[in-house]
Amino acid sequence: MDASDPDPHGFKRRGVLFVLSSPSGAGKSTIARKLREDQPELVVSVSYTTRPMRPGEVDGVDYHFVDLETFRAMVANHEFLEWAHVFGHRYGTPKAQVWNVLEQGRDILFDIDWQGAQQLHQLAGGDIVRVFILPPSMTELRIRLERRATDSPEVIDARMDRAANEVSHWDGYDYVLVNDNVEQCFDCVKTILAAERLKRSRQTGIIGFIRKLIRTSPTGE
Ligand code: 5GP
């Protein structure tokens, strides 16, 4: 049995809604990218946002970039599983085919904030696994944000303020990790995903195996 195999016995199983959240700069994007590379079968939820595109971002890959009017129309049409205001912009998770994908036993990765994690939890209960990634210290977080050089000093100050607020929501998560070493943190994320995939409640096909196991018992009973 190989724990890195999402379906070691080929049992039918239900997928996992796998949420990664962190204050920006804590390393979540790097971990999410490593996870996607490591597990190409993972479906990635691409959010809609009204914030402007940053250099290097690709529309439809990093986000679907839309104007406020389009976003509002999507809210009115109930096209989002959840949405929230973040840094003065709106971000939303499209419903798309989330439930179909789950029933097919495929897992979906969400990079959303604590508000989104909370809303998804209310909606999807046992299907969701929430992982929160903390920076080792606030000083280190500022250094990482400055090194990233994608934001102005004012935006970095605002992100630092918001980080303190985000961290205060740590108890809304199933797992909380400190990212002081990206490889170790990534290993922990992979371990969590592997264990959650094996949870009995997700192994919807195990009952058939159990029945067969009992029927073929050597005592014939
Ligand atoms: P950024 O603008 O740096 O890409 O993202 C800012 C924050 O918005 C991050 O914490 C990210 O996780 C969060 N975010 C991205 N997409 C969504 C979404 O669809 N819903 C919610 N609630 N938060 C999101």
Side-chain angles (χ1 to χ4, degrees):
M1 183 156 165
D2 174 6
S4 64
D5 178 349
D7 301 290
H9 294 291
F11 295 151
K12 185 172 167 9
R13 75 169 173 93
R14 196 164 166 80
V16 181
L17 298 179
F18 199 65
V19 172
L20 284 184
S21 301
S22 78
S24 58
K28 172 191 53 183
S29 309
T30 309
I31 289 178
R33 178 179 45 76
K34 285 169 80 66
L35 199 58
R36 289 199 308 266
E37 285 166 5
D38 188 70
Q39 321 229 342
E41 76 286 355
L42 207 57
V43 177
V44 179
S45 169
V46 180
S47 295
Y48 282 74
T49 184
T50 58
R51 90 147 156 73
M53 211 188 282
R54 292 193 193 120
E57 284 185 327
V58 179
D59 190 17
V61 175
D62 298 288
Y63 286 102
H64 299 284
F65 294 92
V66 292
D67 57 23
L68 188 55
E69 201 186 324
T70 307
F71 196 96
R72 282 195 173 131
M74 292 181 74
V75 172
N77 289 334
H78 308 286
E79 290 178 49
F80 292 124
L81 274 181
E82 62 78 33
W83 71 273
H85 290 273
V86 187
F87 299 128
H89 301 291
R90 290 166 205 219
Y91 294 77
T93 303
K95 281 187 187 159
Q97 295 163 321
V98 165
W99 308 123
N100 283 348
V101 170
L102 276 194
E103 269 160 35
Q104 286 163 21
R106 301 184 67 197
D107 310 308
I108 314 178
L109 176 65
F110 298 86
D111 170 346
I112 57 178
D113 80 337
W114 66 271
Q115 305 172 83
Q118 201 175 60
Q119 291 180 64
L120 272 195
H121 182 66
Q122 281 160 4
L123 205 74
D127 287 325
I128 183 172
V129 176
R130 297 158 296 173
V131 181
F132 194 59
I133 298 170
L134 292 172
S137 71
M138 287 313 214
T139 312
E140 177 62 25
L141 186 67
R142 180 171 272 280
I143 292 169
R144 288 182 192 172
L145 285 175
E146 287 171 351
R147 210 184 292 140
R148 201 164 77 172
T150 49
D151 297 314
S152 66
E154 296 73 40
V155 172
I156 292 181
D157 285 346
R159 287 188 186 278
M160 288 300 296
D161 282 348
R162 195 179 150 83
N165 176 272
E166 287 255 14
V167 169
S168 72
H169 296 283
W170 66 276
D171 57 350
Y173 287 80
D174 304 301
Y175 300 89
V176 178
L177 304 172
V178 179
N179 181 16
D180 35 22
N181 174 301
V182 75
E183 289 304 329
Q184 279 171 14
C185 190
F186 173 58
D187 276 349
C188 290
V189 169
K190 266 176 53 170
T191 304
I192 292 166
L193 182 56
E196 289 286 347
R197 282 168 166 164
L198 292 170
K199 229 177 182 169
R200 184 175 63 81
S201 55
R202 296 204 167 88
Q203 302 277 335
T204 51
I206 200 167
I207 188 74
F209 178 80
I210 302 283
R211 285 195 187 119
K212 203 167 132 217
L213 201 64
I214 293 170
R215 262 205 316 273
T216 56
S217 119
T219 60
E221 288 165 12

